[in-house]
Amino acid sequence: CGVATGNLTMNGSEFKRVLVWSGWLRLSHWSIAAAVLAAGLTGWQLGEGVPVSATLLDFHYYAASLLVFGLALRVVLMFVGREHERLGGLFPNASEWRAAGAMLRFYLSAGRAPLPRWYAHNPLWKPLYLLVYVVLALQVATGSLMQDYPIIARFYLPSVHAFWAQGLLWFSVLHVAAVALHDLKGKTADVSAMINGYRLFF
């Protein structure tokens, strides 16, 4: 459960400001976000065939180290975090499938359909978040191995690494667009929630 800071009134509507995301979860989220951005930018330059400088390569590895930190912290929270931060919180429960369908209608209508309510994770994105963590772990593994073992089980690891890097790029774009649409059409302050931890509930 979250911790409410009390009932507040805004424009005649009463709402609660509730702590949903712990500081550890937010640290993990922003570490992964910064790492994916930095690794993506440096990886794109490395893949363009431009002369590779030691500094550029170093920055790519620094980003990878930050990613390992953020991902490891997220895995720990899957077992010892708040109830909705744990592994089970990444699987929609029976009561959330209706909200997931409503969420899909909201996206397909570009925000014209009603935005459903949820407490922590967006019910439609829960399985995607879990898939992203798996892909991030795969990126760490392929990035670590591909210099010494470029081919494993007939897979060319640099190609695998590049393919999933593009997948992460598109996921990041969709994620940012979706959250911006939530804040534009909704009332729960999703953007600031990942900064200060608090969501608004009317």
Side-chain angles (χ1 to χ4, degrees):
C1 292
V3 178
T5 61
N7 294 341
L8 303 170
T9 302
M10 181 172 61
N11 296 330
S13 298
E14 189 175 275
F15 67 93
K16 287 184 178 181
R17 187 170 180 261
V18 181
L19 179 63
V20 174
W21 303 120
S22 69
W24 291 113
L25 188 284
R26 285 176 278 138
L27 177 61
S28 169
H29 177 274
W30 290 115
S31 296
I32 291 172
V36 167
L37 177 62
L41 289 174
T42 53
W44 171 71
Q45 290 182 296
L46 291 169
E48 283 297 297
V50 298
V52 177
S53 68
T55 302
L56 184 63
L57 200 55
D58 285 344
F59 272 114
H60 194 71
Y61 286 129
Y62 293 149
S65 298
L66 182 60
L67 175 58
V68 169
F69 165 76
L71 191 57
L73 177 56
R74 187 64 187 94
V75 170
V76 169
L77 290 173
M78 287 180 185
F79 297 94
V80 300
R82 292 166 173 249
E83 182 179 354
H84 53 275
E85 296 172 351
R86 297 192 178 197
L87 183 60
L90 293 172
F91 295 94
N93 58 44
S95 66
E96 291 178 316
W97 285 112
R98 184 183 297 274
M103 199 72 243
L104 184 59
R105 288 191 293 276
F106 172 79
Y107 290 138
L108 293 176
S109 70
R112 289 186 293 274
L115 179 65
R117 296 183 180 187
W118 65 88
Y119 178 73
H121 292 295
N122 180 330
L124 182 65
W125 286 67
K126 282 185 175 187
L128 284 176
Y129 293 146
L130 191 57
L131 175 62
V132 165
Y133 295 137
V134 172
V135 170
L136 289 171
L138 178 65
Q139 289 298 87
V140 170
T142 54
S144 301
L145 294 171
M146 65 186 187
Q147 278 192 323
D148 295 326
Y149 307 98
I151 299 176
I152 295 180
R154 298 186 180 180
F155 287 100
Y156 183 56
L157 295 193
S159 294
V160 173
H161 195 75
F163 174 82
W164 286 111
Q166 290 184 18
L168 288 171
L169 168 66
W170 285 110
F171 171 83
S172 300
V173 169
L174 291 173
H175 179 64
V176 170
V179 172
L181 186 61
H182 296 174
D183 256 27
L184 183 65
K185 298 292 186 177
K187 298 179 179 180
T188 54
D190 286 354
V191 173
S192 59
M194 198 46 74
I195 297 173
N196 59 37
Y198 290 86
R199 296 187 76 212
L200 305 178
F201 293 92
F202 287 80

